Amino acid sequence: MGGKADAGWTAPLGQIAGVWLVGSLLGPLLLEAGAMVLFGGHPLLLALPAALMVGTLYLVARLTPRGSALTSRQAGGRLSWSALVLLVGAAGWAGGAWATSDLDLPFGRQPLMTLACGLPFALAAGLFSRRAVSLGAVVVIVALVATGTHLADRQRADGEEKAIAARLDPVRDLLYVVDIPGYRAARDSSGVSAFFEPVDQKVVRVWQDHTVSLTAERGEPATATCPKTSLSAPLGRDERPRCVLERPGLWYLTGRIPEPKWGCPCGLRGYVRQDGGVLVSVLSSDAVSRDVLRAAVLGARRPTDDEARRLVRPS
């Protein structure tokens, strides 16, 4: 009884081992020929190693006829088995090659390359083997796919983390967030300037006349005099605005758009606040009240880690 059971397992496993050996030896030749055809080579380059591999697999089928229901039949069944193992194994190898490249796995180096080349063909043979062996092959394939998917997702997440860190580190001290009542974020430019527009767009008479900008720039501390800055609001720009020190570290700027080409308001206003080595500016036109701008510049704060990550996250 035990001898029959052993024989029932020996034939399928011997067949799979033989296929693994064939795949390890001839798989690289087949796939190299496929790559040459893909890049413009003659299709005959692929036909010759494919025929060689089918013939070798057919020999394995003859030597292990009890390994599969297909190989236990006559020549037609064994030939079909050989072709199926070749096709399914090649498809599995293509998936493995993608995973190897995408995940930077070490299978491109010997001797792992030899072993890895035979695995997809061995699993293909397992799929066409006896029921218990076939089920085992399915479990292994599902496990490999699940593991590869998990590793790919993890690697993409790690890559995104590195990209975020690369964008965040140089500008971390220049990132600020603010909540302006009645306003919403309009657009984000470069990660260190943000623009806010009124929720109620009915108040807008001229394009961007109510848009508020929040900008942070590195600058030398200026305790008594006004910082050397222009008044560059969304509506326009004044290179030489009037600047008044409202209190230590807080300046009120006013200016006008020279020769505007659209309707007024032409006046500009805003605040600049010294925050260590950073100048925080909140600027707009004089359609926005001074109190709103003062509250905004005083309420501007450094973002939390999660907020900072969202600000610089690659789109």
Side-chain angles (χ1 to χ4, degrees), residues 180-181 183 196-198 203-204 208-213 234-235 252 265 267-271 282-294 296:
I180 306 175
Y183 281 75
F196 302 86
E197 62 184 10
V203 302
V204 178
Q208 289 193 326
D209 65 349
H210 280 71
T211 301
V212 177
S213 67
L235 186 67
Y252 178 57
L268 306 175
R269 62 162 54 125
Y271 274 92
V282 174
L283 308 172
S284 186
S285 79
D286 58 9
V288 180
S289 74
R290 179 173 178 174
D291 290 341
V292 168
L293 298 178
R294 181 193 293 111

Side-chain angles (χ1 to χ4, degrees), residues 20 23-25 93 107 109-120 122:
W20 196 324
S24 298
L25 296 176
W93 199 97
F107 295 132
R109 299 188 291 271
Q110 297 292 351
L112 289 176
M113 177 64 176
T114 300
L115 294 174
C117 278
L119 178 60

Side-chain angles (χ1 to χ4, degrees), residues 212-231:
V212 177
S213 67
L214 168 67
T215 304
E217 300 175 291
R218 297 183 183 97
E220 294 296 327
T223 56
T225 61
C226 288
K228 296 178 181 180
T229 181
S230 62
L231 202 169

Side-chain angles (χ1 to χ4, degrees), residues 19-309:
V19 171
W20 196 324
L21 178 61
V22 172
S24 298
L25 296 176
L26 300 182
L29 178 63
L30 175 71
L31 296 159
E32 184 176 345
M36 294 174 66
V37 171
L38 187 64
F39 288 99
H42 196 280
L44 190 60
L45 291 173
L46 180 60
L48 292 176
L52 176 61
M53 194 162 186
V54 168
T56 310
L57 289 172
Y58 184 85
L59 178 60
V60 172
R62 289 203 59 181
L63 293 174
T64 57
R66 293 168 54 188
S68 167
L70 284 173
T71 57
S72 64
R73 301 171 186 172
Q74 297 303 316
R78 294 168 187 167
L79 186 60
S80 299
W81 176 88
S82 302
L84 287 171
V85 169
L86 172 64
L87 292 175
V88 176
W93 199 97
W98 169 83
T100 298
S101 175
D102 193 56
L103 301 176
D104 194 24
L105 297 176
F107 295 132
R109 299 188 291 271
Q110 297 292 351
L112 289 176
M113 177 64 176
T114 300
L115 294 174
C117 278
L119 178 60
F121 300 99
L123 289 173
L127 289 175
F128 303 115
S129 187
R130 304 296 182 181
R131 181 175 298 178
V133 179
S134 178
L135 180 61
V138 170
V139 171
V140 172
I141 291 171
V142 171
L144 288 174
V145 171
T147 301
T149 301
H150 171 72
L151 291 175
D153 289 342
R154 182 174 178 179
Q155 183 158 300
R156 278 191 289 269
D158 290 344
E160 184 176 342
E161 289 293 327
K162 292 178 181 178
I164 290 174
R167 290 168 62 94
L168 180 59
D169 289 345
V171 296
R172 185 66 176 85
D173 62 323
L174 299 179
L175 296 179
Y176 284 78
V177 294
V178 67
D179 182 23
I180 306 175
Y183 281 75
R184 64 192 175 197
R187 57 190 173 92
D188 189 6
S189 174
S190 79
V192 294
S193 295
F195 300 85
F196 302 86
E197 62 184 10
V199 175
D200 182 8
Q201 287 291 296
K202 293 180 181 178
V203 302
V204 178
R205 297 184 179 276
V206 178
W207 182 64
Q208 289 193 326
D209 65 349
H210 280 71
T211 301
V212 177
S213 67
L214 168 67
T215 304
E217 300 175 291
R218 297 183 183 97
E220 294 296 327
T223 56
T225 61
C226 288
K228 296 178 181 180
T229 181
S230 62
L231 202 169
S232 182
L235 186 67
R237 185 182 184 92
D238 188 341
E239 295 291 345
R240 302 181 63 183
R242 182 170 176 266
C243 181
V244 176
L245 178 64
E246 186 170 291
R247 73 184 195 196
L250 182 65
W251 298 269
Y252 178 57
L253 279 67
T254 55
R256 291 186 64 80
I257 303 171
E259 300 180 3
K261 296 181 180 179
W262 55 83
C264 284
C266 308
L268 306 175
R269 62 162 54 125
Y271 274 92
V272 176
R273 174 170 67 92
Q274 185 83 52
D275 186 15
V278 177
L279 295 174
V280 182
S281 304
V282 174
L283 308 172
S284 186
S285 79
D286 58 9
V288 180
S289 74
R290 179 173 178 174
D291 290 341
V292 168
L293 298 178
R294 181 193 293 111
V297 78
L298 293 177
R301 61 174 176 81
R302 298 289 174 87
T304 64
D305 289 342
D306 287 342
E307 289 172 332
R309 287 158 54 84

